[in-house]
Amino acid sequence: MLPQFSQTVTLYREEPEGIRRQVLEGCFYSWQIQQTEQEYGVRQQTKFLLVIPGSCDIRPGDRVFDGVGPETVDWETFLPVSLPGLSQVAYVKPCYFGSVLCHTEAGRR
C-alpha cells in the first residue's frame, strides 16, 4: 500500500534570530518511540520517516511535530523525549526520478 500524503507537520529550526516555524501540508509522517536498554540505563528515541513532495528546506537538527504545532516553543524543553509526536531530524535525502526531484525524505533510523 502506498503512503497517503495527507498529513500536516510543523518544522522547527533554531536560528540565531530565534526559532523558525513552518507548517507543511500534504506530507507523510510515520513515527514510533523506541526504547533500548543499555548498561547505564534506558535510552528512548523517536524513529521516524517524513516524506515531503518536491523540495523542502529541512536539515539535520530540525524538529518535526505531528500536526499543527505551537506558535512559540522553548527550544531547550521542546524535546522528542518529552513530547510524543515530536522528532529530531538525523538525515535528509532528496529523491529523484531520473533528473526530476520527486520528494524529500527526512528521518531517524
Side-chain angles (χ1 to χ4, degrees):
M1 181 192 314
L2 293 174
Q4 297 294 315
F5 292 92
S6 59
Q7 292 169 275
T8 300
V9 298
T10 307
L11 296 181
Y12 296 89
R13 176 177 299 151
E14 184 178 38
E15 296 183 331
E17 58 275 357
I19 306 301
R20 184 177 127 195
R21 175 184 178 269
Q22 180 181 9
V23 177
L24 300 174
E25 297 180 348
C27 302
F28 172 79
Y29 182 55
S30 176
W31 61 273
Q32 69 179 20
I33 295 174
Q34 181 182 35
Q35 291 185 348
T36 54
E37 286 191 43
Q38 299 176 345
E39 67 180 71
Y40 52 85
V42 176
R43 179 178 180 197
Q44 178 176 305
Q45 70 176 5
T46 304
K47 292 185 165 202
F48 76 98
L49 173 64
L50 172 63
V51 181
I52 306 161
S55 177
C56 181
D57 179 20
I58 186 168
R59 302 176 193 161
D62 288 354
R63 295 184 184 157
V64 181
F65 184 80
D66 189 6
V68 177
E71 293 280 334
T72 60
V73 298
D74 176 356
W75 193 255
E76 300 301 316
T77 60
F78 190 63
L79 301 170
V81 70
S82 61
L83 188 61
L86 179 65
S87 306
Q88 185 159 325
V89 176
Y91 72 88
V92 177
K93 176 182 160 191
C95 297
Y96 293 87
F97 182 75
S99 62
V100 177
L101 177 66
C102 295
H103 64 270
T104 303
E105 290 181 11
R108 177 175 292 279
R109 297 181 184 136

